[in-house]
Amino acid sequence: MHNEFPEIFVVRHGQTEWNLAGRYQGSLDSPLTIKGCRQARDIGKVLLREVGDRNDVVATSSPQGRARRTADLALAPLGWPITEDARLREIAFGAWEGLTKQGIHAGWPELGLTDAQAPVGWHFKSPDGESYADVERRVDRFLTDLTRPSVVFTHGILSMVLRARWLGVGAQDMLKLPGGQGVIFHLSPGRGHRMIEK
């Protein structure tokens, strides 16, 4: 565990139309669904409960629409300003963006076995997409620049890499980290990694 990093509350954006359709978004975007908006508002209630009385916590969001919309809805009860940081953008999936997993397997059948053996590592093999090292570098820069406890609004893969780097674990152990939408992942030097639900 990297105790030199400040405490963070990591939030993945709420469900989007492309999440529902099983399409890879990456650097593209799609709107939150009704469920996604509800998830964001519920996150706001949890944040109000967990950090609403603190004045040392700041909020930072990926500039991508689905993350920023989640941040706006969640932070409305707290009235906090939001700083955007491009380093929190989702991994760029290159040629896979907009495709379903079935479409990817049809176009790149040789990667099917890799998908089954390494479901997270597979995401870093898209043509013209970002590598794990690319994402790791920008996550490390973001974490190194953090000076205060933060609520961070980001994306599925980026959230996993961010939490793994904060914890000081490698890509293989990253697979063991929980995922999901509508929850908060709290990383604290005193309490480690925990999932906070509504």
Side-chain angles (χ1 to χ4, degrees), residues 4 24 52 66 85 108 138 148 177 189:
E4 70 266 23
Y24 282 72
R66 58 194 184 273
D85 193 313
W108 295 268
R138 62 181 166 99
R148 296 175 60 184
L177 296 175

Side-chain angles (χ1 to χ4, degrees), residues 44-56:
K45 293 172 188 170
V46 176
L47 288 172
L48 191 60
R49 181 184 77 215
E50 295 286 325
V51 296
D53 60 347
R54 294 175 57 175
N55 59 12
D56 64 328

Side-chain angles (χ1 to χ4, degrees), residues 124-177:
F124 299 95
K125 299 195 179 298
S126 59
D128 302 318
E130 284 185 279
S131 69
Y132 182 79
D134 293 335
V135 177
E136 191 178 63
R137 275 192 293 274
R138 62 181 166 99
V139 162
D140 284 351
R141 288 195 300 269
F142 173 77
L143 286 171
T144 301
D145 287 347
L146 279 182
T147 58
R148 296 175 60 184
S150 301
V151 179
V152 177
F153 293 87
T154 188
H155 307 267
I157 299 297
L158 200 288
S159 162
M160 293 186 75
V161 177
L162 178 68
R163 289 180 285 140
R165 300 303 291 167
W166 193 100
L167 291 164
V169 302
Q172 283 304 112
D173 288 323
M174 184 173 75
L175 291 173
K176 301 172 189 170
L177 296 175

Side-chain angles (χ1 to χ4, degrees), residues 6 21 40 78 105 136 160 196-197:
L78 291 96
H105 283 175
E136 191 178 63
M160 293 186 75
I196 307 172
E197 299 184 80

